[in-house]
mmCIF file of all heavy atoms in Angstrom:
data_model
loop_
_atom_site.group_PDB
_atom_site.id
_atom_site.type_symbol
_atom_site.label_atom_id
_atom_site.label_comp_id
_atom_site.label_asym_id
_atom_site.label_seq_id
_atom_site.Cartn_x
_atom_site.Cartn_y
_atom_site.Cartn_z
ATOM 1 N N ALA A 1 117.450 118.649 105.434
ATOM 2 C CA ALA A 1 117.947 119.852 106.096
ATOM 3 C C ALA A 1 116.809 120.768 106.525
ATOM 4 O O ALA A 1 116.889 121.446 107.556
ATOM 5 C CB ALA A 1 118.901 120.611 105.162
ATOM 6 N N LEU A 2 115.737 120.751 105.756
ATOM 7 C CA LEU A 2 114.596 121.620 106.053
ATOM 8 C C LEU A 2 113.566 120.929 106.945
ATOM 9 O O LEU A 2 113.050 121.538 107.893
ATOM 10 C CB LEU A 2 113.922 122.053 104.744
ATOM 11 C CG LEU A 2 112.660 122.912 104.859
ATOM 12 C CD1 LEU A 2 112.998 124.252 105.506
ATOM 13 C CD2 LEU A 2 112.028 123.126 103.493
ATOM 14 N N LEU A 3 113.278 119.662 106.670
ATOM 15 C CA LEU A 3 112.179 118.977 107.348
ATOM 16 C C LEU A 3 112.623 117.957 108.386
ATOM 17 O O LEU A 3 111.800 117.411 109.112
ATOM 18 C CB LEU A 3 111.293 118.278 106.297
ATOM 19 C CG LEU A 3 110.711 119.192 105.208
ATOM 20 C CD1 LEU A 3 110.016 118.363 104.145
ATOM 21 C CD2 LEU A 3 109.754 120.204 105.803
ATOM 22 N N GLY A 4 113.904 117.672 108.470
ATOM 23 C CA GLY A 4 114.379 116.663 109.409
ATOM 24 C C GLY A 4 114.418 115.285 108.772
ATOM 25 O O GLY A 4 113.895 115.072 107.681
ATOM 26 N N ARG A 5 115.050 114.350 109.468
ATOM 27 C CA ARG A 5 115.225 113.020 108.881
ATOM 28 C C ARG A 5 113.902 112.276 108.777
ATOM 29 O O ARG A 5 112.962 112.510 109.552
ATOM 30 C CB ARG A 5 116.220 112.212 109.707
ATOM 31 C CG ARG A 5 115.704 111.739 111.058
ATOM 32 C CD ARG A 5 116.694 110.770 111.690
ATOM 33 N NE ARG A 5 116.150 110.175 112.912
ATOM 34 C CZ ARG A 5 116.686 109.135 113.525
ATOM 35 N NH1 ARG A 5 117.793 108.587 113.051
ATOM 36 N NH2 ARG A 5 116.140 108.640 114.623
ATOM 37 N N ARG A 6 113.857 111.358 107.817
ATOM 38 C CA ARG A 6 112.665 110.544 107.592
ATOM 39 C C ARG A 6 112.834 109.187 108.272
ATOM 40 O O ARG A 6 113.949 108.659 108.356
ATOM 41 C CB ARG A 6 112.420 110.363 106.099
ATOM 42 C CG ARG A 6 112.091 111.668 105.380
ATOM 43 C CD ARG A 6 111.959 111.463 103.878
ATOM 44 N NE ARG A 6 113.100 110.745 103.349
ATOM 45 C CZ ARG A 6 113.015 109.570 102.734
ATOM 46 N NH1 ARG A 6 111.847 108.976 102.577
ATOM 47 N NH2 ARG A 6 114.098 108.974 102.269
ATOM 48 N N VAL A 7 111.734 108.635 108.738
ATOM 49 C CA VAL A 7 111.753 107.357 109.451
ATOM 50 C C VAL A 7 110.583 106.498 108.982
ATOM 51 O O VAL A 7 109.571 107.014 108.498
ATOM 52 C CB VAL A 7 111.637 107.577 110.983
ATOM 53 C CG1 VAL A 7 112.893 108.237 111.532
ATOM 54 C CG2 VAL A 7 110.392 108.393 111.322
ATOM 55 N N PRO A 8 110.695 105.163 109.128
ATOM 56 C CA PRO A 8 109.557 104.292 108.818
ATOM 57 C C PRO A 8 108.518 104.385 109.933
ATOM 58 O O PRO A 8 108.878 104.417 111.117
ATOM 59 C CB PRO A 8 110.181 102.894 108.748
ATOM 60 C CG PRO A 8 111.384 102.993 109.632
ATOM 61 C CD PRO A 8 111.897 104.400 109.503
ATOM 62 N N THR A 9 107.260 104.427 109.566
ATOM 63 C CA THR A 9 106.199 104.604 110.570
ATOM 64 C C THR A 9 105.020 103.672 110.317
ATOM 65 O O THR A 9 104.780 103.223 109.194
ATOM 66 C CB THR A 9 105.668 106.054 110.562
ATOM 67 O OG1 THR A 9 105.082 106.339 109.277
ATOM 68 C CG2 THR A 9 106.775 107.050 110.844
ATOM 69 N N VAL A 10 104.286 103.407 111.388
ATOM 70 C CA VAL A 10 103.002 102.716 111.314
ATOM 71 C C VAL A 10 101.966 103.648 111.914
ATOM 72 O O VAL A 10 102.184 104.214 112.993
ATOM 73 C CB VAL A 10 103.023 101.392 112.101
ATOM 74 C CG1 VAL A 10 101.613 100.821 112.224
ATOM 75 C CG2 VAL A 10 103.937 100.377 111.427
ATOM 76 N N SER A 11 100.853 103.832 111.211
ATOM 77 C CA SER A 11 99.775 104.692 111.717
ATOM 78 C C SER A 11 98.450 103.948 111.658
ATOM 79 O O SER A 11 98.220 103.135 110.759
ATOM 80 C CB SER A 11 99.671 105.977 110.889
ATOM 81 O OG SER A 11 100.865 106.725 110.956
ATOM 82 N N VAL A 12 97.594 104.244 112.614
ATOM 83 C CA VAL A 12 96.232 103.701 112.632
ATOM 84 C C VAL A 12 95.277 104.860 112.886
ATOM 85 O O VAL A 12 95.430 105.597 113.864
ATOM 86 C CB VAL A 12 96.047 102.638 113.725
ATOM 87 C CG1 VAL A 12 94.601 102.126 113.711
ATOM 88 C CG2 VAL A 12 97.021 101.473 113.534
ATOM 89 N N THR A 13 94.317 105.011 112.012
ATOM 90 C CA THR A 13 93.305 106.057 112.172
ATOM 91 C C THR A 13 91.944 105.393 112.359
ATOM 92 O O THR A 13 91.510 104.601 111.517
ATOM 93 C CB THR A 13 93.270 106.997 110.954
ATOM 94 O OG1 THR A 13 94.560 107.576 110.771
ATOM 95 C CG2 THR A 13 92.246 108.102 111.146
ATOM 96 N N ALA A 14 91.299 105.692 113.471
ATOM 97 C CA ALA A 14 90.011 105.062 113.787
ATOM 98 C C ALA A 14 89.428 105.718 115.031
ATOM 99 O O ALA A 14 90.042 106.633 115.613
ATOM 100 C CB ALA A 14 90.192 103.559 114.026
ATOM 101 N N ASP A 15 88.257 105.247 115.428
ATOM 102 C CA ASP A 15 87.717 105.612 116.728
ATOM 103 C C ASP A 15 88.795 105.335 117.780
ATOM 104 O O ASP A 15 89.531 104.348 117.691
ATOM 105 C CB ASP A 15 86.467 104.769 116.999
ATOM 106 C CG ASP A 15 85.926 104.978 118.396
ATOM 107 O OD1 ASP A 15 85.148 105.915 118.595
ATOM 108 O OD2 ASP A 15 86.319 104.175 119.288
ATOM 109 N N SER A 16 88.913 106.208 118.761
ATOM 110 C CA SER A 16 90.018 106.156 119.713
ATOM 111 C C SER A 16 90.266 104.758 120.293
ATOM 112 O O SER A 16 91.392 104.260 120.312
ATOM 113 C CB SER A 16 89.745 107.150 120.855
ATOM 114 O OG SER A 16 90.828 107.175 121.748
ATOM 115 N N THR A 17 89.216 104.092 120.758
ATOM 116 C CA THR A 17 89.395 102.764 121.369
ATOM 117 C C THR A 17 89.823 101.727 120.357
ATOM 118 O O THR A 17 90.691 100.890 120.623
ATOM 119 C CB THR A 17 88.071 102.277 121.978
ATOM 120 O OG1 THR A 17 87.301 103.361 122.418
ATOM 121 C CG2 THR A 17 88.312 101.389 123.156
ATOM 122 N N ILE A 18 89.218 101.779 119.182
ATOM 123 C CA ILE A 18 89.557 100.826 118.125
ATOM 124 C C ILE A 18 90.993 101.055 117.644
ATOM 125 O O ILE A 18 91.742 100.105 117.405
ATOM 126 C CB ILE A 18 88.571 100.956 116.944
ATOM 127 C CG1 ILE A 18 87.149 100.659 117.399
ATOM 128 C CG2 ILE A 18 88.981 100.049 115.800
ATOM 129 C CD1 ILE A 18 86.944 99.258 117.952
ATOM 130 N N ALA A 19 91.385 102.320 117.509
ATOM 131 C CA ALA A 19 92.737 102.647 117.046
ATOM 132 C C ALA A 19 93.780 102.026 117.973
ATOM 133 O O ALA A 19 94.779 101.448 117.515
ATOM 134 C CB ALA A 19 92.919 104.161 116.961
ATOM 135 N N GLU A 20 93.555 102.136 119.277
ATOM 136 C CA GLU A 20 94.516 101.562 120.219
ATOM 137 C C GLU A 20 94.539 100.040 120.108
ATOM 138 O O GLU A 20 95.619 99.422 120.132
ATOM 139 C CB GLU A 20 94.166 101.975 121.656
ATOM 140 C CG GLU A 20 95.137 101.393 122.680
ATOM 141 C CD GLU A 20 94.948 101.934 124.088
ATOM 142 O OE1 GLU A 20 94.238 102.961 124.239
ATOM 143 O OE2 GLU A 20 95.515 101.338 125.028
ATOM 144 N N LYS A 21 93.378 99.434 119.986
ATOM 145 C CA LYS A 21 93.305 97.975 119.874
ATOM 146 C C LYS A 21 94.081 97.482 118.647
ATOM 147 O O LYS A 21 94.862 96.517 118.725
ATOM 148 C CB LYS A 21 91.839 97.542 119.781
ATOM 149 C CG LYS A 21 91.632 96.047 119.639
ATOM 150 C CD LYS A 21 90.134 95.726 119.625
ATOM 151 C CE LYS A 21 89.887 94.213 119.518
ATOM 152 N NZ LYS A 21 88.438 93.889 119.558
ATOM 153 N N VAL A 22 93.879 98.155 117.507
ATOM 154 C CA VAL A 22 94.553 97.757 116.271
ATOM 155 C C VAL A 22 96.058 98.001 116.370
ATOM 156 O O VAL A 22 96.865 97.150 115.955
ATOM 157 C CB VAL A 22 93.953 98.512 115.065
ATOM 158 C CG1 VAL A 22 94.743 98.201 113.793
ATOM 159 C CG2 VAL A 22 92.480 98.152 114.881
ATOM 160 N N MET A 23 96.458 99.134 116.936
ATOM 161 C CA MET A 23 97.882 99.442 117.048
ATOM 162 C C MET A 23 98.594 98.437 117.948
ATOM 163 O O MET A 23 99.716 97.991 117.642
ATOM 164 C CB MET A 23 98.072 100.864 117.584
ATOM 165 C CG MET A 23 99.536 101.296 117.694
ATOM 166 S SD MET A 23 100.375 101.378 116.082
ATOM 167 C CE MET A 23 100.062 103.102 115.640
ATOM 168 N N ARG A 24 97.980 98.053 119.041
ATOM 169 C CA ARG A 24 98.613 97.100 119.972
ATOM 170 C C ARG A 24 98.820 95.727 119.315
ATOM 171 O O ARG A 24 99.753 95.008 119.667
ATOM 172 C CB ARG A 24 97.777 96.971 121.248
ATOM 173 C CG ARG A 24 97.858 98.194 122.161
ATOM 174 C CD ARG A 24 97.184 97.949 123.492
ATOM 175 N NE ARG A 24 97.265 99.110 124.366
ATOM 176 C CZ ARG A 24 98.327 99.427 125.107
ATOM 177 N NH1 ARG A 24 99.414 98.643 125.072
ATOM 178 N NH2 ARG A 24 98.306 100.509 125.877
ATOM 179 N N GLU A 25 97.974 95.369 118.354
ATOM 180 C CA GLU A 25 98.140 94.101 117.654
ATOM 181 C C GLU A 25 99.103 94.219 116.470
ATOM 182 O O GLU A 25 99.778 93.247 116.102
ATOM 183 C CB GLU A 25 96.780 93.595 117.148
ATOM 184 C CG GLU A 25 95.801 93.214 118.244
ATOM 185 C CD GLU A 25 96.191 91.928 118.971
ATOM 186 O OE1 GLU A 25 97.186 91.274 118.572
ATOM 187 O OE2 GLU A 25 95.506 91.576 119.943
ATOM 188 N N THR A 26 99.168 95.413 115.872
ATOM 189 C CA THR A 26 99.977 95.597 114.663
ATOM 190 C C THR A 26 101.467 95.711 114.971
ATOM 191 O O THR A 26 102.302 95.078 114.285
ATOM 192 C CB THR A 26 99.513 96.859 113.910
ATOM 193 O OG1 THR A 26 98.143 96.721 113.536
ATOM 194 C CG2 THR A 26 100.357 97.078 112.661
ATOM 195 N N LEU A 27 101.845 96.509 115.974
ATOM 196 C CA LEU A 27 103.266 96.778 116.191
ATOM 197 C C LEU A 27 104.119 95.534 116.434
ATOM 198 O O LEU A 27 105.258 95.462 115.919
ATOM 199 C CB LEU A 27 103.431 97.783 117.355
ATOM 200 C CG LEU A 27 103.080 99.239 117.006
ATOM 201 C CD1 LEU A 27 103.338 100.142 118.218
ATOM 202 C CD2 LEU A 27 103.879 99.722 115.804
#
């Protein structure tokens, strides 16, 4: 009620180019 509904997520933290590369392979 206070914070909104929760959802499953995938996150990648890295140098911008590397983060995109890893995310595109992970999802």
